[in-house]
Amino acid sequence: MAKAYVKSKEMVELVSTSSWMDKGLGSQNEMKEEERRPSAYGMLGSLTEEHDSIEEEEEEEEDGEKPKRRGPKKKKMTKARLERFRARRVKANARERTRMHGLNDALDNLRRVMPCYSKTQKLSKIETLRLARNYIWALSEVLETGQTPEGKGFVEMLCKGLSQPTSNLVAGCLQLGPQSVLMEKHEEKSPICDSAISVHNFNYQSPGLPSPPYGHMETHLLHLKPQVFKSLGESSFGSHPPDCSTPPYEGPLTPPLSISGNFSLKQDGSPDLEKSYSFMPHYPSAGLSSGHVHSTPFQAGTPRYDVPIDMSYDSYPHHGIGTQLNTIFTE
DNA sequence: TAGGCCATCTGGTCCT
DNA sequence: AGGACCAGATGGCCTA
C-alpha cells in the first residue's frame, strides 16, 4: 500500500500539468468544481518541475549499480508521449468526474424515495445505502407477513445499523400519532419538508431536523410509486394496470401527497403524473393493522394501481429478500 | 481541533 | 487502444 502511494506521488510529478490541462479543457461545470475546490486543482507542480522529474527518473534507471530491471524496457518519455499521456489523463479525469456525478445522481434519486428525505439535510452516502437496505427489508417483511409492523418495530427495522443522528431523523420522520391526519393536510399544501410544519405534527422533532415528506409510516408504506411495484417483479404483479408504464422517477423532490388517492387526470383519463405524481390509496389504519394489505381499497372511479400480492415462493421471487439483503450488507 | 464526509485525481485492472 | 470501474490518496468543508 505504501508502495502504491509512493508510485502515485511519482506519477503526480510526472503529470503535474494535468491540473492546468483540466482547467483548460474543463466544461463550465468542471470550472465550478474547480472554484469550489481550488486546491484540488492547484496542488500539483509546474510544467518545468515536471520535466526535471522525468529526466531524474530516467537517469536513475540507467546509471544505477543495481541489476538491470527485467521486462520490457521503459520507453523514454518524449515530449510527444508526454503530451499524449496528459491528454489521456485529462480525458480520463473528465470521464471519472462524469461517472461519479452519475453515481451521485443515482444516490440522490435513492434519497428521494427513502422514508425521510430532505433537501436541506441530506443523508450521507453510506447512511442512504444503509437506510435503503433497511427500507427494502422492512417492506419485504410487510409483503411477506401481510401485516404492517407496529410503529416502533418498523422504525427499529429502518434504523438498524444507522448512526444515532440518522436514527433520530428516521424516528422523527416516521413518528406515529393522532396528528397524522393533520400532517397530511399540511403536506398537501407544502410537500417539501418544513420544520415549521413538523413542529405541529410530530411528537418528536430534533431541532434542525427536516420533517418527513410522507407523514407517518402508514401513509408512507402505501406511498410506493407504481413503478416501484412494477420494478419489484412483473411476475408477481402482473401487468396491472395496462397503462401503468411510468417513466423513470424524475418527479419532484418530494412527491406531493394525495390525500384522497386521486390522480390528477389528463384529458385522456390517464393519470397526470406531473401534477399528482404520487398516489395514496384510501387505507384506513385499522385495515393496515389487521393485515388487509392484499386488498387495496382505492377510491371508486379513480385510476388504480392494483397490487395483487401473492406471497407464494413461486410467484414472488423476492421472497426473503430482506434476509438476503441483510446478509449482503452485513458489516 | 479532530473526525466525518465529500469531490477529485490517479494508476491499476478488466473488458470490448 | 480506449473506456469503465475501482480503490487509494489528498485536501477542503463542516460540525461537535
Side-chain angles (χ1 to χ4, degrees), chain A residues 147-219:
Chain A
Q147 291 185 342
T148 302
E150 56 95 13
K152 196 181 164 193
F154 188 74
V155 172
E156 280 173 0
M157 270 200 242
L158 288 183
C159 293
K160 195 181 179 207
L162 299 185
S163 68
Q164 192 57 51
T166 308
S167 297
N168 291 343
L169 181 65
V170 173
C173 284
L174 296 183
Q175 193 72 25
L176 278 172
Q179 302 96 328
S180 54
V181 175
L182 184 59
M183 174 68 209
E184 289 172 359
K185 286 180 181 174
H186 273 294
E187 280 187 337
E188 221 174 19
K189 287 179 186 173
S190 174
I192 302 297
C193 288
D194 184 337
S195 58
I197 291 175
S198 69
V199 167
H200 294 295
N201 295 290
F202 289 101
N203 299 327
Y204 165 82
Q205 179 70 36
S206 297
L209 289 178
S211 57
Y214 294 107
H216 55 90
M217 72 178 68
E218 289 174 8
T219 59

Side-chain angles (χ1 to χ4, degrees), chain A residues 140-141 143-145 232-237 294 309-324:
Chain A
S140 67
E141 286 294 312
L143 290 175
E144 284 177 26
T145 62
L232 282 175
E234 294 287 342
S235 60
S236 58
F237 298 119
H294 298 259
I309 301 173
D310 185 341
M311 287 301 152
S312 69
Y313 260 88
D314 289 339
S315 59
Y316 185 55
H318 297 280
H319 183 87
I321 192 172
T323 311
Q324 293 167 25

Side-chain angles (χ1 to χ4, degrees), chain A residues 14 18 26 31 35 38 48 54 58 96 124 149 155 177 193 201 214 222 257 264 272-273 293 305 308 315 317:
Chain A
L14 274 172
S18 63
M31 290 303 286
E35 287 164 14
T48 312
I54 294 167
E58 291 184 347
E96 180 65 8
S124 70
V155 172
C193 288
N201 295 290
Y214 294 107
L222 297 162
L257 267 181
S264 298
D272 188 345
L273 296 178
V293 178
Y305 288 100
S315 59

Side-chain angles (χ1 to χ4, degrees), chain A residues 6 25 34 65 83 113 146 190 201 215 250 255 257 270 316 329:
Chain A
V6 171
L25 299 179
E34 175 203 348
E65 288 187 358
E83 288 301 318
V113 296
S190 174
N201 295 290
E250 291 180 359
L257 267 181
S270 61
Y316 185 55
F329 284 94

Side-chain angles (χ1 to χ4, degrees), chain A residues 23 30-43:
Chain A
K23 281 183 186 179
E30 290 159 3
M31 290 303 286
K32 278 182 185 174
E33 292 291 349
E34 175 203 348
E35 287 164 14
R36 211 155 44 79
R37 303 176 177 279
S39 64
Y41 290 84
M43 63 185 178

